[in-house]
Amino acid sequence: MPLGNLTSQFFANIYLNELDRFVKHELRAKYYIRYVDDFVILHENKNKLNFYKNQIKEFLKNNLKIELHKDKSKIFFIRKGITFLGFRHFYFYTILKKNKRKHVNNKIKDIIKEYKEMEDYKKLMQRFESILSHLEIGNTYYLRNNFIVKLNNNINMLNIKQ
């Protein structure tokens, strides 16, 4: 099933619930974050992280019959940043990855084109606001403002009724 499919996301959350319970209750990892099949564990001790990684690898193999991706399962210092869910997370701030900025920009252009003929302001704003709320995860104030200005310019040009 394609990963983008909502049912596959739903089933991944059900299936990996056992992993969540294991990491939180057995390993007692304090800083564990999972979204669908991506997860991050933060800890100041590299040896502890290696221990977690080995325990998780065994748990997944024995209990869920799946494996960690060998190229994506890494341990590194947070000062280098963590790429997670389209953002680059650092200790004190979070930025949108460059390729995601282009993706969002293209998506906004597509939304404007899609509603060009329909002139449905309410639907246009619902889609646009969902993009903006996702961007709020990071330090994207200026980026969001640029998108708002771009949208307003296009709305005025298209004479979309508000």
Side-chain angles (χ1 to χ4, degrees), residues 10 79 95:
F10 174 73
R79 70 175 173 259
I95 57 173

Side-chain angles (χ1 to χ4, degrees), residues 93-108:
Y93 63 96
T94 298
I95 57 173
L96 188 66
K97 288 177 54 184
K98 244 183 213 174
N99 66 332
K100 293 296 178 185
R101 258 184 259 151
K102 289 178 185 175
H103 176 76
V104 169
N105 202 13
N106 290 336
K107 193 168 189 121
I108 290 171

Side-chain angles (χ1 to χ4, degrees), residues 19-47:
L19 173 64
D20 296 341
R21 294 179 60 77
F22 176 73
V23 173
K24 290 177 187 176
H25 300 290
E26 301 294 320
L27 296 179
R28 298 199 182 277
K30 187 174 181 182
Y31 301 106
Y32 167 73
I33 306 160
R34 183 178 66 80
Y35 181 81
V36 188
D37 64 339
D38 292 328
F39 68 90
V40 173
I41 300 174
L42 303 173
H43 200 282
E44 65 223 13
N45 186 311
K46 189 174 180 178
N47 292 330

Side-chain angles (χ1 to χ4, degrees), residues 53-95:
K53 184 177 178 180
N54 291 330
Q55 292 294 307
I56 289 169
K57 191 184 290 187
E58 286 302 310
F59 176 83
L60 292 174
K61 181 180 172 186
N62 297 332
N63 296 52
L64 300 180
K65 311 298 183 224
I66 56 177
E67 295 179 1
L68 290 175
H69 192 288
K70 65 180 178 183
D71 297 331
K72 294 182 180 179
S73 304
K74 299 177 182 174
I75 294 173
F76 50 85
F77 293 105
I78 196 167
R79 70 175 173 259
K80 294 180 181 179
I82 298 169
T83 301
F84 190 63
L85 304 177
F87 288 89
R88 190 90 177 140
H89 303 270
F90 295 90
Y91 193 73
F92 291 111
Y93 63 96
T94 298
I95 57 173

